[in-house]
Amino acid sequence: MENKQPSIIDLLIETHVGLERQGPGSTETTCKALGFLGNLEQISNTADLGCGSGPQTMELARHLSGSIVGLDMFSDFIGVLNENADKQGVGDRVRGIVGSMDDLPFEEESLDLIWSEGAIDNIGFEKGLAHWRGFLKKGGYLAVTCPSWLTAEHPAVIEGFWSDAGSGLDSVEHNVAILQACGYRFIASFALPEYCWTEKYFVPREAVLEELLKKYPDDETVEAFVAENRYEVDLYSKYGQHYGYVFYIGQKL
Ligand code: SAM
C-alpha cells in the first residue's frame, strides 16, 4: 500500500520525533549553561520552552529536584517527553504540555528558571525575553540558545537562509544588549561547538531523511523537504564559522 502524501509539517514531525534532539545542542552544553546559575537547590519551578521531545528537559531533571514543565507546540514531541519522564521515574515532577511560547500558561512571577534551547528565534529573541520575564520571580534565571552571528562578516546567503526560515541573526553583543534592555542581568554567553550541529543533529537527521526518500518514492514534497535540509547542512559546512547557536544566560533584575 502506498503511503499518503505528507505535508511539510507532517515531514518535520516525522523526521524529528524519533531523533534524540530536534536541533543543535548537547548534554555537555546544557550542563555548562547550568553551571552558570546560582544554587541549583533553590530552583523549584522550571519551564523549558520549545522543549521538543525534551532531551534538555530530562538533563535538567537530573540536576534539579523541583518541578519542570516542558512546553512545545507539537503534541507528538510532548508525548515522547512524557513517556521518557515516566520511564525514568520522574513523571511526578517533569511534565510536558502543548502550548505556545508567545502565550505562556504560567502564573506571573511563578518560575525560578526559564530554559529554552533552539526555539526562541521562532517568536523573536526580544519578544520572547520580554514576554517570558513576567513569569520569572525576581532573581529568577533565564538560559536560552539563539542563532547568532559569530564574526563581523555576514554572508548574504546565510542572512537569506535564516530570514526565509522566519528568524534573523544578530551579533552576540546586540543580543546581550537586548537581554539587558529587557530587564535581565547578563551572566554569560557561549557558542555551541560544531559537534552540537553535526554529530548531535545533522548526522542522525540525515539517516532519517534517507528513510523518508525510500518511504515516499517520487514524492516532490519529500524531495524538496530533504533537499532543504541538506542545503542547511551544506551551508553550515561552508559558512559555519560565521554563525551558530549561542547560549545566553541572565537573571531577572
Ligand atoms: N529544545 C529542543 C532541542 O533542542 O532539541 C527542540 C528544539 S527545535 C529546533 C524547536 C522547537 O520549538 C520545536 O520542537 C518546535 O515545535 C518548538 N516551537 C517552535 N515554535 C513554537 C511556539 N511558538 N510555541 C511552542 N513551541 C514552538
Side-chain angles (χ1 to χ4, degrees):
M1 202 174 73
E2 264 186 41
N3 290 302
K4 186 175 140 272
Q5 191 181 30
S7 68
I8 292 289
I9 293 289
D10 295 335
L11 290 169
L12 195 75
I13 295 172
E14 184 171 352
T15 302
H16 288 91
V17 73
L19 292 180
E20 196 185 320
R21 340 190 27 96
Q22 288 75 45
S26 69
T27 303
E28 294 77 18
T29 44
T30 297
C31 290
K32 180 172 174 180
L34 257 180
F36 288 103
L37 309 190
N39 193 348
L40 297 187
E41 273 131 50
Q42 283 171 7
I43 295 178
S44 42
N45 288 310
T46 297
D48 180 10
L49 308 179
C51 62
S53 63
Q56 68 291 306
T57 325
M58 294 308 298
E59 190 54 31
L60 293 177
R62 285 186 259 284
H63 298 269
L64 305 173
S65 55
S67 121
I68 305 176
V69 176
L71 175 144
D72 201 277
M73 65 195 284
F74 289 128
S75 59
D76 304 68
F77 297 161
I78 290 302
V80 175
L81 167 58
N82 284 333
E83 213 179 288
N84 286 338
D86 289 340
K87 267 193 215 148
Q88 295 183 31
V90 290
D92 55 334
R93 64 183 186 88
V94 179
R95 281 336 276 166
I97 58 170
V98 175
S100 180
M101 292 191 297
D102 54 9
D103 185 17
L104 296 184
F106 306 111
E107 277 183 33
E108 275 183 36
E109 307 215 335
S110 62
L111 301 171
D112 301 292
L113 171 62
I114 290 182
W115 202 269
S116 181
E117 294 196 32
I120 194 170
D121 55 306
N122 288 291
I123 60 166
F125 188 71
E126 183 165 10
K127 184 177 167 193
L129 292 192
H131 176 54
W132 299 354
R133 187 178 183 277
F135 299 94
L136 278 175
K137 295 176 188 167
K138 190 163 181 262
Y141 291 103
L142 169 99
V144 303
T145 65
C146 186
S148 314
W149 290 118
L150 303 177
T151 61
E153 191 185 331
H154 301 164
V157 64
I158 301 300
E159 190 99 62
F161 179 82
W162 284 90
S163 75
D164 288 352
S167 77
L169 298 177
D170 283 304
S171 68
V172 174
E173 296 71 25
H174 177 90
N175 284 338
V176 168
I178 296 281
L179 181 137
Q180 291 168 323
C182 285
Y184 299 87
R185 178 175 76 86
F186 170 64
I187 297 178
S189 69
F190 64 90
L192 299 195
E194 188 184 317
Y195 76 89
C196 291
W197 290 75
T198 52
E199 185 190 317
K200 297 290 176 189
Y201 181 52
F202 287 156
V203 172
R205 188 180 71 179
E206 175 57 28
V208 180
L209 296 176
E210 279 292 340
E211 290 307 313
L212 282 183
L213 288 171
K214 286 185 207 146
K215 181 173 170 189
Y216 303 100
D218 303 320
D219 184 312
E220 281 176 19
T221 310
V222 175
E223 282 168 7
F225 176 78
V226 170
E228 182 69 6
N229 278 270
R230 288 180 174 165
Y231 181 55
E232 183 192 16
V233 177
D234 195 35
L235 286 183
Y236 186 74
S237 72
K238 287 191 182 124
Y239 300 101
Q241 76 271 30
H242 297 296
Y243 66 102
Y245 276 93
V246 171
F247 240 116
Y248 296 91
I249 298 135
Q251 185 173 30
K252 179 174 171 177
L253 291 168

